[in-house]
């Protein structure tokens, strides 16, 4: 089995267990264990079958057992763990690079302690880490000394063990807590190890890793606690049903119940995870719309303002007054840049496209570095800037460190790429960071006064770091992509137990809705309705979501519920009518539009919709009354005259239709104006003029004869009712085809 097949099998087992189909799950496990020679798992499976059989027997016999639910949950835990073990055994036989990394890690640790049994390979038996934990002095050596290198290697090894170890032992878990209690290990290395726990949880469910994430959320250092919260929310979103089976875990989670800080910060994490769904769309917009516009703008501006001369040394400080005027002439570019800036201020990931190609530096070949928080003293930063002048080095390092808009991964990329930049570009960058220093100070001051802003910034940057890892790292195909999963923590039963506050659900639903994620928003609105919520906006937005999804009958049902509150009736009736049209129920749409017309008698759009419905119902005389209203309000307009002219033609009032078509052909006629003018001429006996108009219609269609013939055939009955001999229709069509073919 390859990796994809193993994952499909494993996910199938988990789905069966979620549906409480225990025997089916055991059968599915047995088949693979037998086929792949993993018979070591069969004895455990027989034990579980025996236990389950006894429980079923007692249940059917009506034997009261107060421990039954506990036994059943333990059984489910055991079957899950059996599936975990078989899955990891199967994966260990593949050629995945992560398996090679795990084997290499075990080999290195065995070499350092030759007497160590394979079962003891883990954090608890890392001697270098043990030495580090004995120290009480903060380790901040960023040199290449032997001690510094050993320290970094020990931290990297700890990261890999937390990530690649399937299940932590109790001793390992205790050692992790010692790491986070240690005063010798700096915050940035602890933060990195939080990511290792999260990666390990995603690789294989481990209740001890999850328990550690829960504990670490209580860390005083917000940089650590917020990373732990992100990992916790991602893990619960994926493993909700499984976590419920562990009383000890649930007991720890219940300590967060009613915690306002947790509810607020969890909402912030969810909003940022939702925001990440639009990263590719933003990157595409930046690449396909904004960059080409900026390039064109620069080229035009350079030519218009003679920038080569403007940037000469003697005129360097002068500002050209034409610049502001020229920006005024580029409203599209300005609007796009403003939109991008606003999105960035809110936390949107606008830099992915710019930095995606800057992840090939040797620094990123060490996987843990993708999760390293940026700090200017880091040895890689010091080395990257060692050839630069001190003022520039200081300005740049401090500016990047303070930047609130770049994630940590991109900050490292930016500095590491400095060596590839020409001096002129470095100078501009230095000036930019010097100019923005005051702004950064203001932002940091705001965060100091409002800790929630500080925590939110960590969450935004950390989730962007995660996004880069799961979308750009060379091992991404072996990791699974958490950003392709729903990650709907707010819909889990654990969220419902911990945050019993519909205001949070409403906020998340509104964010989904405002960003056009209608499926996800609708699920929350439906949940709110199930919880007893009932108000106009709930049903209006539910209906709008259904409409955007193409579920038009459901949309109508929701809109009708909203209509009971007697608010926004005009808007609701318009939406209901639109849905009826989508369902091809023109009569129902007409009735709705007529009801709307009684509320807004002067609304020309409603009049146009009513007229169109009457036309589709083959009632042109009634349609004409409404189209006349539009023409009266918008005299001389082609869009107002077209439906009037057509109705008159359909009704056989050709003399009245003639001046309308004469006016239309004198404006900017389209293909339909010409074909309808041809019909009018044909009905009035002027076949030669009709043919010329038909040819003009084909030209307007860029020679698309098939499109013309389709339209001509659709109007056959109109022509015949207006006196055209039906036998002349094929002759006219052949003549047009003959003429069109000769052009």
């Amino acid at each position: 089995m390859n990796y994809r097949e193993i994952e499909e099998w494993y996910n199938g087992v988990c789905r069966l267990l979620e549906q409480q189909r225990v025997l089916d799950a055991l059968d599915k496990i047995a088949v693979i264990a037998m086929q792949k020679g993993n018979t070591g798992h069969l004895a455990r499976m027989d034990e579980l079958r025996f236990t389950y059989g006894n429980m079923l027997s007692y249940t059917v016999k009506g034997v009261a057992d107060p421990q039954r639910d506990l036994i059943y949950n333990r059984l489910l835990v055991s079957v899950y763990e059996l599936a975990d073990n078989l899955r990891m055994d199967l994966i260990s036989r593949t050629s995945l690079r992560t398996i090679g990394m795990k084997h290499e890690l075990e080999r290195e640790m065995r070499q350092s302690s030759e007497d160590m049994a394979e079962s003891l390979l883990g954090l608890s038996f890392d001697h270098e880490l043990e030495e580090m934990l004995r120290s009480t002095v903060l380790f901040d050596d960023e040199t290449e000394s032997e001690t510094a290198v050993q320290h970094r290697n020990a931290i990297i090894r700890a990261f890999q063990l937390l990530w690649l170890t399937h299940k932590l032992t109790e001793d390992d878990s205790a050692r992790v807590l010692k790491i986070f209690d240690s005063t010798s290990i700096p915050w940035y290395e602890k933060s990195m190890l939080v990511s290792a726990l999260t990666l390990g949880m995603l690789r294989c469910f481990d209740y001890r890793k999850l328990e550690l994430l829960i504990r670490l959320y209580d860390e005083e250092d917000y940089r650590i606690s917020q990373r732990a919260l992100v990992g916790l929310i991602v893990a619960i979103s994926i493993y909700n049903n499984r976590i419920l089976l562990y009383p000890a875990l649930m007991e720890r989670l219940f300590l967060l119940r009613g915690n306002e800080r947790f509810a607020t910060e969890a909402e912030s994490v969810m909003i940022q995870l939702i925001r990440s769904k639009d990263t590719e769309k933003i990157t595409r917009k930046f690449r396909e719309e904004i960059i080409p516009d900026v390039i064109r703008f620069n080229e035009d501006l350079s030519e218009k303002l003679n920038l080569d001369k403007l940037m000469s040394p003697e005129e360097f400080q002068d500002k050209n007054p034409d610049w502001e005027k020229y920006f005024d002439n580029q409203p599209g570019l300005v609007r796009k840049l403003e939109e991008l800036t606003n999105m960035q201020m809110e936390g949107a990931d606008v830099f992915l496209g710019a930095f995606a190609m800057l992840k090939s530096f040797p620094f990123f070949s060490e996987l843990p570095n993708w999760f390293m928080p940026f700090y200017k003293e880091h040895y890689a930063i010091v080395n990257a800037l060692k050839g630069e002048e001190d003022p520039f080095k200081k300005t740049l390092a401090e500016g990047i460190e303070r930047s609130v808009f770049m994630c940590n991964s991109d900050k490292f990329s930016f500095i590491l790429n400095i060596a590839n930049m020409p001096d002129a570009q470095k100078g501009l960058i230095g000036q930019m960071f010097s100019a923005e220093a005051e702004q950064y100070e203001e932002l940091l001051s705001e965060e100091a006064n409002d800790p929630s802003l500080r925590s939110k910034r960590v969450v935004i940057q950390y989730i962007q770091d995660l996004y880069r890892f799961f979308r750009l790292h060379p091992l991404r195909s072996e990791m699974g992509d958490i950003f392709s999963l729903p990650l709907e923590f707010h819909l889990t039963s654990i969220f419902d137990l911990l945050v019993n506050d519909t205001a949070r659900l409403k906020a998340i639903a509104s964010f989904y809705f405002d960003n056009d994620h209608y499926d996800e928003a609708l699920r929350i609105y439906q949940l709110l309705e199930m919880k007893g919520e009932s108000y106009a906006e709930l049903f209006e937005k539910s209906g709008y979501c259904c409409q955007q999804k193409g579920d038009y009958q459901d949309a109508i049902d929701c809109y009708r519920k909203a209509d009971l509150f007697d608010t926004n009736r005009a808007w609701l009736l318009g939406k209901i009518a639109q849905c009826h049209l989508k369902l091809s129920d023109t009569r129902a749409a007409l009735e709705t539009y007529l009801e709307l017309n009684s509320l807004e008698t002067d609304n020309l759009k409603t009049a146009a919709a009513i007229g169109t419905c009457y036309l589709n119902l083959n009632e042109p005389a009634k349609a004409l009354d409404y189209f006349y209203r539009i023409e009266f309000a918008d005299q001389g307009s082609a869009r107002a005259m077209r439906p009037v002219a057509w109705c008159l033609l359909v009704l056989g009032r050709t003399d009245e239709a003639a001046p309308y078509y004469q006016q239309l052909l004198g404006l900017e006629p389209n293909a339909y104006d010409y074909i309808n003018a041809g019909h009018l001429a044909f009905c009035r006996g002027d076949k030669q003029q009709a043919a010329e108009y038909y040819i003009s219609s084909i030209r307007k269609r860029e020679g698309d004869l098939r499109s013309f013939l389709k339209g001509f055939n659709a109007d056959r009955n109109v022509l015949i009712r207006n006196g055209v001999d039906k036998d002349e229709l094929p002759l006219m069509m052949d003549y047009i085809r003959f003429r069109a073919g000769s052009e």
Side-chain angles (χ1 to χ4, degrees), residues 384-432:
L385 296 177
K386 64 184 177 183
E388 306 297 334
E389 295 182 3
D390 287 343
F392 171 73
K393 186 189 306 185
K394 183 176 184 297
T395 299
L396 182 64
E398 290 181 355
I400 291 291
E401 187 175 60
R402 293 176 176 180
S403 174
V404 297
F405 300 124
M406 272 193 285
C407 66
N408 299 281
S409 178
D410 289 352
K411 289 178 180 182
F412 278 107
S413 294
F414 191 97
I415 296 290
L416 294 171
N417 192 50
I418 283 291
N420 301 323
M421 293 183 184
D423 290 340
Q425 190 173 0
K426 292 179 185 178
L428 290 173
I429 289 171
Q431 291 174 28
M432 179 187 73

Side-chain angles (χ1 to χ4, degrees), residues 570 573-581 585-597 600 602-619 622-630 639 643 647:
L573 291 172
K575 291 298 179 186
I576 292 170
Q578 291 171 9
C579 292
H580 281 308
L581 288 176
D585 191 346
T586 307
R587 180 63 65 183
L590 173 61
E591 292 171 358
T592 308
Y593 277 128
L594 289 170
E595 187 178 357
L596 175 58
N597 187 59
E600 299 181 341
D602 296 329
N603 191 319
L604 298 182
K605 290 183 179 179
T606 304
I610 294 172
T612 302
C613 287
Y614 275 128
L615 266 183
N616 292 333
L617 292 169
N618 199 26
E619 299 182 51
K622 292 181 179 178
L624 186 59
D625 290 338
Y626 287 91
F627 290 137
Y628 270 142
R629 281 173 52 185
I630 299 170
R639 64 182 180 182
C647 286

Side-chain angles (χ1 to χ4, degrees), residues 431-485:
Q431 291 174 28
M432 179 187 73
F433 279 107
S434 294
E436 293 181 351
E438 186 175 342
Q439 179 185 359
Y440 288 145
E441 287 294 340
E442 291 177 3
L443 290 172
L444 293 174
S445 177
E446 287 180 18
E447 290 184 0
N449 295 327
D450 185 354
S452 67
L453 292 177
R454 191 177 56 184
S455 296
K456 189 175 294 186
R457 174 170 59 84
V458 171
V459 165
I460 289 171
Q461 292 182 355
Y462 182 52
I463 290 177
Q464 290 177 3
D465 289 335
L466 288 172
Y467 195 91
R468 276 142 186 73
F469 176 76
F470 283 102
R471 289 294 170 92
L472 301 177
H473 194 278
L475 290 176
R476 60 187 178 276
S477 62
E478 299 183 16
M479 301 290 183
D481 180 9
I482 63 170
F483 293 98
S484 65
L485 301 175

Side-chain angles (χ1 to χ4, degrees), residues 95-113:
S95 57
L96 293 182
R97 283 173 289 177
T98 48
I99 297 302
M101 292 170 68
K102 188 173 190 298
H103 292 331
E104 177 63 20
L105 177 64
E106 291 170 349
R107 185 185 65 78
E108 288 178 4
M109 293 193 68
R110 211 172 282 115
Q111 284 179 347
S112 64
S113 301

